[in-house]
Amino acid sequence: MADKIKVALNGYGTIGKRVADAVARQDDMALVGIAKTRPDYEAYVAAEKGYDIYAVDAAKAGPVFKEAGLQIAGSNEEMIRKADIVVDATPKGIGAKNKALYEKLGKPAIFEGGEKHELTGISFNAAANFDEAIGKQYVRVVSCNTSALCRLVYAIDSAFGIRHAHVTLVRRAADPDDIKKGPVNAIVPDPITLPSHHGPDVQSVMPHIDIVTAALKVPTTLAHVHSVSISVKGTPLRQDVVDALRKWPRIWLIPPLYGIKSTAGVMELGRVLGRPKGDMMENAVWEESVSVDKNGNISLFQAVHQESDVIPENIDCIRAMTGLAKDKLKSMAKTDRSLGIGTLKPWRDFPPHAEGVEAVTAR
Ligand code: NAD
């Protein structure tokens, strides 16, 4: 662990367990441990993976873990003391409360998209504003929808210059393991008042982008779909747009020949590739959907796997904040190689740090 950056995971749910696994695959990072509130199946699996488990309220929870046969390495405060940086992946609003602890211990912390921009003053997307996070103490990695929008908007803005973007988000109602929020037998404008918060959230990363968003919640758990309409300066050819998107391995243009027609197909591809948890960390843009009209308005559909697209962004954010990397493209390439992003190589072909495996945009 000596010269690796030591990362602590406070909050080990949908996002936290994925960030922990991704940290464990980086050759410049070491996972200090994960904090759990109770000994559920995720705690047993974490123990099997060799992760040190720390209890959130150790005095109260310690005996419960002991009774469950799980060894606790200490309290989450002890875990944080040992770390160079904390990733707080607790539910919305808890991260804001935890900030006082990180301040007390003098530890830099990453917060997730459920927290407000004002908590950190810096909202992060690797492609769009990596440099802003370099050396910073507190940074927020934007939510799943905003991360995917930032990737796409940045790719198009840097290639052509955006005049205006209008996006309708069709949102999954809940994560697959969530029994509190579904099933929803309806299409729910969410929120009914327009625009939705996603546009301002993109502007928290790229303030100069003129963007308006609307969101509808639908009864599915697999992934979100965005219907995107962006007017740009000039009138690029359709092929110019395809080429501009293709430059970024975290944007995956699904070729028509793959026969992937829905979010079900996108997620099945993740499973067929044998990716951990069946995740698809790339924006999946249907190549067939990309079109440009005579006024330079670009339209397309993209699918977004809400559980995993923010994971590589967290890894790059750790590198930026701790000074492990100063060059966004180098950090992103390293992250992508380690996680198998942008390649059709089956996961079993990846050694832990994916040395020598080049990430190539798959199509
Ligand atoms: P989750 O509910 O799946 O996991 C949160 C975990 O934190 C749970 O295991 C919970 O027991 C634990 N926890 C609760 N209180 C805690 C505390 N005080 N200290 C330590 N651990 C505590 O939540 P999630 O979906 O992983 O979301 C985490 C963050 O990521 C939120 O800000 C959310 O908005 C954001 N996010 C979620 C998604 C998604 O689709 N699930 C996508 C992108 C970003």
Side-chain angles (χ1 to χ4, degrees), residues 200-212:
D201 214 24
V202 169
Q203 287 165 334
S204 73
V205 178
M206 288 174 282
H208 68 285
I209 298 291
D210 180 18
I211 179 168
V212 171

Side-chain angles (χ1 to χ4, degrees), residues 10-15 37 56 89-91 94 112 114 144 172 175 306:
N10 200 21
Y12 191 71
T14 304
I15 301 302
T37 52
V56 171
T90 57
I94 307 269
E112 302 299 321
C144 47
R172 62 88 179 98
D175 286 339
Q306 76 280 354

Side-chain angles (χ1 to χ4, degrees), residues 103 166 180 223 229:
E103 281 170 338
H166 190 110
K180 292 183 197 142
S229 172

Side-chain angles (χ1 to χ4, degrees), residues 25 252 258 269-276 279-282 336-351 354-363:
R25 289 183 72 82
W252 190 342
Y258 281 13
L269 177 61
R271 287 192 287 265
V272 168
L273 289 172
R275 290 193 175 178
D279 287 346
M280 284 297 292
M281 289 177 268
E282 300 91 338
D336 291 352
R337 273 198 305 277
S338 72
L339 300 178
I341 289 172
T343 170
L344 269 187
K345 271 191 182 299
W347 182 260
R348 65 170 188 279
D349 291 352
F350 285 93
E355 294 298 351
V357 178
E358 287 305 315
V360 285
T361 311
R363 56 189 52 86

